[in-house]
Amino acid sequence: MSNKAPLRPEPVASEHIPLKARNVAFDWADTPLHWVPGDPSTTHTINVLHLLLPAGERWFVHVYKQVLPYIRDERLRADVIGFIGQEAMHSQAHDDVLPHLKKQGLDPTPYTAQVDWFFEKLLGDRTLPPGRARHWWLLERVALIAAIEHYTAFLGDWVLNAEELDAKGADATMLDLLRWHGAEEVEHRSVAFDLFMHLDGGYRRRARTWATAFAALVFLWQRGVRFFMANDPTLLDGKASFKEFFRAGRQGVLPTTGAVARTIPQYLHRTYHPSQYGSTTQAAAYLAASPAATAAESRTSPGAA
């Protein structure tokens, strides 16, 4: 008989804070199409977020509302409710960028229709009999969200530290959107995984749904970049390429391929817990200084006009 303790996720207790949605608003009037100056490839690689996140985060909210009755831990239930509020706001904020892109001659509708189908039909509710089959499909989607949130937290931590975007003169409003969102992803990075562990926690399901989520994200992201580059009205022969992705990673304006690769063993390690990566303190510091977040706070504070 082994004397070794089983490997289990180890959360960092000090990283937990109550979650709240911030009713932010952004003015896109002065944001150029290529908001990373002289770099349409990097601009459009990040712009894919505006295409994926509205439908994806609406799907998160839809699934989690179904899950609420199964949560037996009150603190986790409060975290999930806070998560729902933040994700709904993220979806709205990125959705508001799409009319601005359309005004600049880049209509995202053909691609967003595909993303909507992916989340609403392929990953949506299915006509299943009550009982085991329906519960299995709910748990599969909870596990998928946990895997996706591993990557949204990774991107959130990356953009909070992506000083090269500032050095290249990236548009301040777009950076605030990305960093406000990124900070909240870091802030709530443990919720989806904790919920999965609370409801199931099976390692085989975790590994299987990670593989599905990772493959889907890579497929949808590269397809989105190709769509943007091909339909950018300012580019004569716009094409997406992995060479450009590698170049941007080396320059620090996108995550490096090495950093993306390291996320794989992180999530698949049996002692993985999201609180071990990223800094809640850094996220809170950005949210305290973010123009959009502080404006939202002033609108909702007691005594505000």
PDB file of all heavy atoms in Angstrom, residues 162-180:
ATOM      1  N   ALA A 162       1.680  43.051 -21.097  1.00  0.00           N
ATOM      2  CA  ALA A 162       2.159  43.238 -22.473  1.00  0.00           C
ATOM      3  C   ALA A 162       2.563  44.690 -22.703  1.00  0.00           C
ATOM      4  O   ALA A 162       1.883  45.451 -23.417  1.00  0.00           O
ATOM      5  CB  ALA A 162       1.089  42.792 -23.470  1.00  0.00           C
ATOM      6  N   GLU A 163       3.691  45.089 -22.123  1.00  0.00           N
ATOM      7  CA  GLU A 163       4.144  46.478 -22.219  1.00  0.00           C
ATOM      8  C   GLU A 163       4.527  46.858 -23.645  1.00  0.00           C
ATOM      9  O   GLU A 163       4.517  48.047 -23.997  1.00  0.00           O
ATOM     10  CB  GLU A 163       5.326  46.692 -21.276  1.00  0.00           C
ATOM     11  CG  GLU A 163       4.966  46.518 -19.807  1.00  0.00           C
ATOM     12  CD  GLU A 163       6.159  46.668 -18.888  1.00  0.00           C
ATOM     13  OE1 GLU A 163       7.291  46.857 -19.410  1.00  0.00           O
ATOM     14  OE2 GLU A 163       5.967  46.609 -17.655  1.00  0.00           O
ATOM     15  N   GLU A 164       4.865  45.881 -24.484  1.00  0.00           N
ATOM     16  CA  GLU A 164       5.239  46.188 -25.862  1.00  0.00           C
ATOM     17  C   GLU A 164       4.072  46.761 -26.660  1.00  0.00           C
ATOM     18  O   GLU A 164       4.275  47.507 -27.622  1.00  0.00           O
ATOM     19  CB  GLU A 164       5.794  44.944 -26.556  1.00  0.00           C
ATOM     20  CG  GLU A 164       7.165  44.522 -26.063  1.00  0.00           C
ATOM     21  CD  GLU A 164       8.194  45.637 -26.171  1.00  0.00           C
ATOM     22  OE1 GLU A 164       8.225  46.319 -27.227  1.00  0.00           O
ATOM     23  OE2 GLU A 164       8.954  45.854 -25.217  1.00  0.00           O
ATOM     24  N   LEU A 165       2.838  46.430 -26.275  1.00  0.00           N
ATOM     25  CA  LEU A 165       1.689  47.048 -26.939  1.00  0.00           C
ATOM     26  C   LEU A 165       1.664  48.547 -26.689  1.00  0.00           C
ATOM     27  O   LEU A 165       1.367  49.337 -27.592  1.00  0.00           O
ATOM     28  CB  LEU A 165       0.382  46.402 -26.462  1.00  0.00           C
ATOM     29  CG  LEU A 165       0.094  44.996 -26.996  1.00  0.00           C
ATOM     30  CD1 LEU A 165      -1.120  44.395 -26.290  1.00  0.00           C
ATOM     31  CD2 LEU A 165      -0.146  45.014 -28.504  1.00  0.00           C
ATOM     32  N   ASP A 166       1.979  48.953 -25.467  1.00  0.00           N
ATOM     33  CA  ASP A 166       2.066  50.384 -25.160  1.00  0.00           C
ATOM     34  C   ASP A 166       3.200  51.022 -25.950  1.00  0.00           C
ATOM     35  O   ASP A 166       3.054  52.116 -26.503  1.00  0.00           O
ATOM     36  CB  ASP A 166       2.294  50.590 -23.659  1.00  0.00           C
ATOM     37  CG  ASP A 166       1.203  49.974 -22.808  1.00  0.00           C
ATOM     38  OD1 ASP A 166       0.203  50.654 -22.535  1.00  0.00           O
ATOM     39  OD2 ASP A 166       1.352  48.805 -22.424  1.00  0.00           O
ATOM     40  N   ALA A 167       4.346  50.329 -25.996  1.00  0.00           N
ATOM     41  CA  ALA A 167       5.514  50.874 -26.682  1.00  0.00           C
ATOM     42  C   ALA A 167       5.248  51.085 -28.174  1.00  0.00           C
ATOM     43  O   ALA A 167       5.793  52.005 -28.784  1.00  0.00           O
ATOM     44  CB  ALA A 167       6.710  49.950 -26.484  1.00  0.00           C
ATOM     45  N   LYS A 168       4.397  50.250 -28.754  1.00  0.00           N
ATOM     46  CA  LYS A 168       4.070  50.379 -30.176  1.00  0.00           C
ATOM     47  C   LYS A 168       2.970  51.395 -30.432  1.00  0.00           C
ATOM     48  O   LYS A 168       2.581  51.615 -31.578  1.00  0.00           O
ATOM     49  CB  LYS A 168       3.669  49.021 -30.764  1.00  0.00           C
ATOM     50  CG  LYS A 168       4.833  48.069 -30.961  1.00  0.00           C
ATOM     51  CD  LYS A 168       4.529  46.996 -31.990  1.00  0.00           C
ATOM     52  CE  LYS A 168       4.482  47.564 -33.400  1.00  0.00           C
ATOM     53  NZ  LYS A 168       4.410  46.496 -34.441  1.00  0.00           N
ATOM     54  N   GLY A 169       2.436  52.003 -29.368  1.00  0.00           N
ATOM     55  CA  GLY A 169       1.409  53.025 -29.535  1.00  0.00           C
ATOM     56  C   GLY A 169       0.017  52.484 -29.763  1.00  0.00           C
ATOM     57  O   GLY A 169      -0.802  53.133 -30.431  1.00  0.00           O
ATOM     58  N   ALA A 170      -0.279  51.311 -29.226  1.00  0.00           N
ATOM     59  CA  ALA A 170      -1.620  50.733 -29.384  1.00  0.00           C
ATOM     60  C   ALA A 170      -2.680  51.662 -28.811  1.00  0.00           C
ATOM     61  O   ALA A 170      -2.442  52.383 -27.831  1.00  0.00           O
ATOM     62  CB  ALA A 170      -1.684  49.367 -28.706  1.00  0.00           C
ATOM     63  N   ASP A 171      -3.836  51.652 -29.441  1.00  0.00           N
ATOM     64  CA  ASP A 171      -4.936  52.542 -29.053  1.00  0.00           C
ATOM     65  C   ASP A 171      -5.304  52.368 -27.578  1.00  0.00           C
ATOM     66  O   ASP A 171      -5.522  51.244 -27.105  1.00  0.00           O
ATOM     67  CB  ASP A 171      -6.163  52.238 -29.920  1.00  0.00           C
ATOM     68  CG  ASP A 171      -7.352  53.096 -29.569  1.00  0.00           C
ATOM     69  OD1 ASP A 171      -7.335  54.291 -29.892  1.00  0.00           O
ATOM     70  OD2 ASP A 171      -8.289  52.549 -28.949  1.00  0.00           O
ATOM     71  N   ALA A 172      -5.380  53.483 -26.862  1.00  0.00           N
ATOM     72  CA  ALA A 172      -5.578  53.439 -25.409  1.00  0.00           C
ATOM     73  C   ALA A 172      -6.942  52.866 -25.030  1.00  0.00           C
ATOM     74  O   ALA A 172      -7.060  52.132 -24.036  1.00  0.00           O
ATOM     75  CB  ALA A 172      -5.424  54.843 -24.823  1.00  0.00           C
ATOM     76  N   THR A 173      -7.973  53.170 -25.799  1.00  0.00           N
ATOM     77  CA  THR A 173      -9.306  52.659 -25.473  1.00  0.00           C
ATOM     78  C   THR A 173      -9.366  51.145 -25.648  1.00  0.00           C
ATOM     79  O   THR A 173      -9.923  50.425 -24.807  1.00  0.00           O
ATOM     80  CB  THR A 173     -10.376  53.335 -26.346  1.00  0.00           C
ATOM     81  OG1 THR A 173     -10.315  54.746 -26.149  1.00  0.00           O
ATOM     82  CG2 THR A 173     -11.769  52.841 -25.989  1.00  0.00           C
ATOM     83  N   MET A 174      -8.768  50.651 -26.738  1.00  0.00           N
ATOM     84  CA  MET A 174      -8.770  49.211 -26.950  1.00  0.00           C
ATOM     85  C   MET A 174      -7.950  48.503 -25.875  1.00  0.00           C
ATOM     86  O   MET A 174      -8.348  47.440 -25.369  1.00  0.00           O
ATOM     87  CB  MET A 174      -8.226  48.873 -28.333  1.00  0.00           C
ATOM     88  CG  MET A 174      -8.334  47.390 -28.686  1.00  0.00           C
ATOM     89  SD  MET A 174     -10.053  46.785 -28.786  1.00  0.00           S
ATOM     90  CE  MET A 174     -10.557  47.496 -30.353  1.00  0.00           C
ATOM     91  N   LEU A 175      -6.817  49.083 -25.498  1.00  0.00           N
ATOM     92  CA  LEU A 175      -6.015  48.483 -24.433  1.00  0.00           C
ATOM     93  C   LEU A 175      -6.790  48.450 -23.123  1.00  0.00           C
ATOM     94  O   LEU A 175      -6.682  47.485 -22.361  1.00  0.00           O
ATOM     95  CB  LEU A 175      -4.711  49.257 -24.251  1.00  0.00           C
ATOM     96  CG  LEU A 175      -3.584  48.952 -25.232  1.00  0.00           C
ATOM     97  CD1 LEU A 175      -2.350  49.776 -24.882  1.00  0.00           C
ATOM     98  CD2 LEU A 175      -3.244  47.472 -25.249  1.00  0.00           C
ATOM     99  N   ASP A 176      -7.564  49.490 -22.852  1.00  0.00           N
ATOM    100  CA  ASP A 176      -8.340  49.495 -21.603  1.00  0.00           C
ATOM    101  C   ASP A 176      -9.404  48.405 -21.621  1.00  0.00           C
ATOM    102  O   ASP A 176      -9.625  47.717 -20.623  1.00  0.00           O
ATOM    103  CB  ASP A 176      -8.969  50.867 -21.377  1.00  0.00           C
ATOM    104  CG  ASP A 176      -9.590  50.994 -19.980  1.00  0.00           C
ATOM    105  OD1 ASP A 176      -9.043  50.397 -19.023  1.00  0.00           O
ATOM    106  OD2 ASP A 176     -10.617  51.678 -19.851  1.00  0.00           O
ATOM    107  N   LEU A 177     -10.078  48.231 -22.775  1.00  0.00           N
ATOM    108  CA  LEU A 177     -11.049  47.132 -22.887  1.00  0.00           C
ATOM    109  C   LEU A 177     -10.364  45.798 -22.619  1.00  0.00           C
ATOM    110  O   LEU A 177     -10.847  44.981 -21.817  1.00  0.00           O
ATOM    111  CB  LEU A 177     -11.674  47.116 -24.282  1.00  0.00           C
ATOM    112  CG  LEU A 177     -12.442  45.833 -24.658  1.00  0.00           C
ATOM    113  CD1 LEU A 177     -13.682  45.664 -23.789  1.00  0.00           C
ATOM    114  CD2 LEU A 177     -12.826  45.832 -26.127  1.00  0.00           C
ATOM    115  N   LEU A 178      -9.243  45.558 -23.285  1.00  0.00           N
ATOM    116  CA  LEU A 178      -8.565  44.271 -23.157  1.00  0.00           C
ATOM    117  C   LEU A 178      -8.048  44.052 -21.745  1.00  0.00           C
ATOM    118  O   LEU A 178      -8.135  42.938 -21.209  1.00  0.00           O
ATOM    119  CB  LEU A 178      -7.417  44.193 -24.160  1.00  0.00           C
ATOM    120  CG  LEU A 178      -7.818  44.216 -25.642  1.00  0.00           C
ATOM    121  CD1 LEU A 178      -6.587  44.355 -26.522  1.00  0.00           C
ATOM    122  CD2 LEU A 178      -8.616  42.979 -26.017  1.00  0.00           C
ATOM    123  N   ARG A 179      -7.525  45.106 -21.119  1.00  0.00           N
ATOM    124  CA  ARG A 179      -6.953  44.935 -19.788  1.00  0.00           C
ATOM    125  C   ARG A 179      -8.018  44.908 -18.697  1.00  0.00           C
ATOM    126  O   ARG A 179      -7.855  44.194 -17.710  1.00  0.00           O
ATOM    127  CB  ARG A 179      -5.898  46.025 -19.541  1.00  0.00           C
ATOM    128  CG  ARG A 179      -4.644  45.745 -20.357  1.00  0.00           C
ATOM    129  CD  ARG A 179      -3.602  46.817 -20.245  1.00  0.00           C
ATOM    130  NE  ARG A 179      -2.379  46.379 -20.938  1.00  0.00           N
ATOM    131  CZ  ARG A 179      -1.448  47.198 -21.398  1.00  0.00           C
ATOM    132  NH1 ARG A 179      -1.584  48.513 -21.250  1.00  0.00           N
ATOM    133  NH2 ARG A 179      -0.375  46.717 -22.013  1.00  0.00           N
ATOM    134  N   TRP A 180      -9.101  45.672 -18.881  1.00  0.00           N
ATOM    135  CA  TRP A 180     -10.228  45.534 -17.941  1.00  0.00           C
ATOM    136  C   TRP A 180     -10.754  44.104 -17.988  1.00  0.00           C
ATOM    137  O   TRP A 180     -10.928  43.456 -16.946  1.00  0.00           O
ATOM    138  CB  TRP A 180     -11.342  46.520 -18.300  1.00  0.00           C
ATOM    139  CG  TRP A 180     -12.692  46.070 -17.837  1.00  0.00           C
ATOM    140  CD1 TRP A 180     -13.180  46.093 -16.556  1.00  0.00           C
ATOM    141  CD2 TRP A 180     -13.722  45.463 -18.647  1.00  0.00           C
ATOM    142  NE1 TRP A 180     -14.452  45.541 -16.527  1.00  0.00           N
ATOM    143  CE2 TRP A 180     -14.797  45.151 -17.784  1.00  0.00           C
ATOM    144  CE3 TRP A 180     -13.823  45.166 -19.998  1.00  0.00           C
ATOM    145  CZ2 TRP A 180     -15.969  44.549 -18.260  1.00  0.00           C
ATOM    146  CZ3 TRP A 180     -14.983  44.576 -20.468  1.00  0.00           C
ATOM    147  CH2 TRP A 180     -16.041  44.269 -19.601  1.00  0.00           C
TER     148      TRP A 180
END
